[in-house]
Structures are given as structure tokens and as C-alpha cells.
Amino acid sequence: MSAGNLASSRLELNLEYLGLVRSQAVLDGVLEEAAREDISYVEFLDRLLEQEAAAQRERRSEGRIRYARFPYSKTIDQFDFEFQPSIDRKRIKELLTLRFIANGENVILLGPPGVGKTHLAIALGMTACQQGQCVTFVAAEELVTSLREGFEAHRLPEKMRYYQKPSLLIIDELGYLPLDRMGANLIFQLIAKRYERGAIIITSNRSYGEWGEVFTDNVIAAAILDRLLHHSATINIKGESYRLREKRKAGLLNRTTEGCIVNGQETGEISIGEK
Ligand code: ADP
Ligand code: MG
């Protein structure tokens, strides 16, 4: 074997040993390019490592997205702003700069079911993951169950730390089910711990005036709102459910049956009096 061949196969092995998978895959191409364009050693190394770094950034971002446990993936490009004119595009664009995360501020998305609250929350969360932030997505009901289990197992501090840690915590569907006193208390403790330290996005179908009912206790609701709203942006979405529009388009629904029974199943969107 010639010295050149020996070096080449050792290089392959070393790239593999070092876990530089992308470099290994693109090496031949970059070498050919380098010879053709007669570039310097530095330029060659730069082109190779640029690709390696891009691949690693992608992998880490995917890892953070998996860790966040989004129920599904949604991006801002998939959001039809024309359909929801009550949303100020500029405000969403501002939120996408993620300054609210750096400042430990909160975003509260309010509105009836189907208007895109969860979609926007996921899109913001995924953007944060791509920009290197640690995110956790949790449904409010699951959060309360998880904290309650922690409390019962004398491991509440550990559970609290888990939800305190991410730079962005997304609590989805707060208010769909009313909380008992203990549930409300646990949520209050978590929000108080993250106050001015870690950003929170909350989605809710209940207006602030109804939070007393959601938390079964006006005093706790006021204490939660006090901390939550101190540094926050509220996006109030007033509009039609996107899901219902899709169904209407598919001919499964007409205006007179809207919000009642669709194919023998309740739409689940009735109680809010969707129009
Ligand atoms: P909410 O959380 O307000 O109940 P979702 O965000 O779950 O509503 O939206 C319901 C479905 O409709 C999702 O699949 C979502 O992606 C889609 N959707 C809602 N609003 C829009 C929109 N303006 N453009 C595109 N898709 C939308
Ligand atoms: Mg939702």
C-alpha cells in the first residue's frame, strides 16, 4: 500500500472513531472539489468542518425537539395568517426572535378551540429548539398529574426541578379541566419558581376572568396571574376553528349542524359557542 493510500484509509478510520460522520460521507467530494479549484489547506479544512458543524447542529436540534416532547411538529410556515386575521403577524414575528426567552418572559395564547393556539405554541417551541434552547412541552393535565405524583412520592422538589430547568416551558390547554385546590397550588408553586427566571408559554380556552373558576380559588388565580402577567404578552385569538373549516370544506359539516354532531361524534368544540 502506498503512503497516500495508507493515510487515506487511516483518515477514514479516524473520522469514524471521532464520530465525524458527515465528514466521512463528504470527504471524497470535498477532496475532489479542492483539487479542481486548487484551494488552500485552510479553505479545504474549512469546507469540510463547515459541513460537519452543520450536521451536528441539525442533530442537536433534533435531539432537543425529541426531548421537548411536542405532540406533533408544526412550523410557523404552516400557519395560515390569512385565515386568522385577529392575530397580529408582527407580534408573532417579534416572538420568533425569542427575546422573550432570553428575558424570562411569558406568552399567553387565549382563544376558543381550534384557532391555532397549540400550533403557534409548538412553532415557537420548535424555533427555540433550533436556536439551541432547551424546551419542554406538557399538557396542563399531565403536568398536574406529574406534580401530584411527585408530591405523593415525596419527590416534589425533583419534579419541580424538571419543569424549572428548560429555558422555555410550554403548558398546553390550561383550563380545559378545572383544577382542584392541590392542583392549583402545585401550578402556582411552579409558576412562582419560574417567575422572572424561565419563560412560559400557556395556551388556554378560558379568558383571564374565568381563571378563578379554573383554579377553584380566586386568591390562587390572582396570585398566578400576578406573576404570569408581570412580564408577558397575551395573544387573544378571536376567530373560527380551523378544524371546523376543514370539515366544512370536506362537506362533513354545514353551518346549521356546526358545533353539534359530526358523523355521530361530538365535535368537542361546542361548549364555547363557536360561530
Ligand atoms: P387550539 O390549540 O387553538 O385548539 P390547534 O392549534 O390545535 O388549535 O389547531 C387545530 C388544528 O388546526 C391543528 O392541526 C392546527 O395545525 C390547525 N390550524 C389552526 N389554525 C391554523 C391556521 N391559521 N393555519 C394553519 N393551520 C391551522
Ligand atoms: Mg390546543
Side-chain angles (χ1 to χ4, degrees):
M1 203 185 260
S2 72
N5 284 345
L6 190 67
S8 167
S9 51
R10 196 171 50 216
L11 178 58
E12 284 274 338
L13 287 173
N14 280 337
L15 288 176
E16 189 172 340
Y17 174 71
L18 293 168
L20 302 176
V21 185
R22 177 72 63 93
S23 300
Q24 212 182 353
V26 301
L27 180 63
D28 287 346
V30 181
L31 276 170
E32 269 169 39
E33 210 179 84
R36 203 171 48 240
E37 296 175 29
D38 196 21
I39 58 176
S40 69
Y41 299 126
V42 170
E43 272 176 288
F44 163 74
L45 200 56
D46 174 49
R47 285 191 193 180
L48 190 67
L49 292 188
E50 184 58 33
Q51 298 219 34
E52 186 63 50
Q56 289 206 15
R57 268 195 294 274
E58 225 169 87
R59 271 204 304 281
R60 285 182 194 175
S61 146
E62 280 163 12
R64 280 189 293 268
I65 287 172
R66 269 196 308 278
Y67 177 88
R69 302 182 58 206
F70 297 112
Y72 40 81
S73 101
K74 285 286 172 189
T75 64
I76 205 67
D77 298 335
Q78 294 167 326
F79 196 82
D80 179 1
F81 283 93
E82 304 283 313
F83 180 74
Q84 215 55 268
S86 71
I87 301 176
D88 181 355
R89 232 185 258 229
K90 278 201 299 280
R91 289 187 74 196
I92 304 295
K93 238 174 138 181
E94 158 63 26
L95 293 175
L96 285 166
T97 65
L98 306 180
R99 259 198 292 272
F100 76 99
I101 298 183
N103 297 337
E105 293 169 1
N106 306 316
V107 177
I108 297 130
L109 294 153
L110 299 179
V115 293
K117 302 182 297 295
T118 302
H119 185 137
L120 289 172
I122 293 175
L124 285 167
M126 288 196 32
T127 305
C129 288
Q130 284 152 359
Q131 309 276 324
Q133 303 284 350
C134 176
V135 179
T136 293
F137 180 104
V138 67
E141 203 188 337
E142 185 192 338
L143 174 63
V144 172
T145 305
S146 160
L147 291 176
R148 194 191 296 272
E149 283 171 2
F151 177 78
E152 281 159 7
H154 304 287
R155 294 168 77 170
L156 186 58
E158 196 182 307
K159 276 282 157 102
M160 283 285 175
R161 273 198 301 279
Y162 174 78
Y163 293 108
Q164 258 175 276
K165 200 179 64 172
S167 47
L168 172 63
L169 177 68
I170 303 176
I171 306 176
D172 193 36
E173 302 198 335
L174 191 69
Y176 267 84
L177 294 175
L179 299 169
D180 62 11
R181 206 164 284 270
M182 181 176 186
N185 227 302
L186 290 167
I187 294 277
F188 168 72
Q189 282 186 50
L190 177 62
I191 285 172
K193 280 189 195 299
R194 286 188 69 90
Y195 176 61
E196 290 188 334
R197 269 177 243 151
I200 306 177
I201 296 180
I202 287 183
T203 79
S204 179
N205 62 335
R206 311 289 293 265
S207 64
Y208 292 135
E210 296 172 303
W211 281 34
E213 224 175 283
V214 169
F215 291 100
T216 11
D217 182 327
N218 282 323
V219 178
I220 288 212
I224 289 176
L225 282 174
D226 179 55
R227 282 154 186 81
L228 218 47
L229 300 187
H230 187 194
H231 308 285
S232 70
T234 299
I235 310 281
N236 231 318
I237 312 176
K238 297 185 190 75
E240 198 194 359
S241 161
Y242 197 81
R243 289 193 202 101
L244 290 189
R245 184 197 66 163
E246 299 274 280
K247 284 187 181 140
R248 190 179 301 119
K249 268 202 333 210
L252 293 173
L253 196 70
N254 59 46
R255 288 208 168 261
T256 51
T257 58
E258 178 174 317
C260 295
I261 306 285
V262 179
N263 285 352
Q265 283 182 322
E266 280 201 29
T267 62
E269 320 216 336
I270 314 123
S271 52
I272 318 298
E274 192 144 348
K275 276 274 124 45

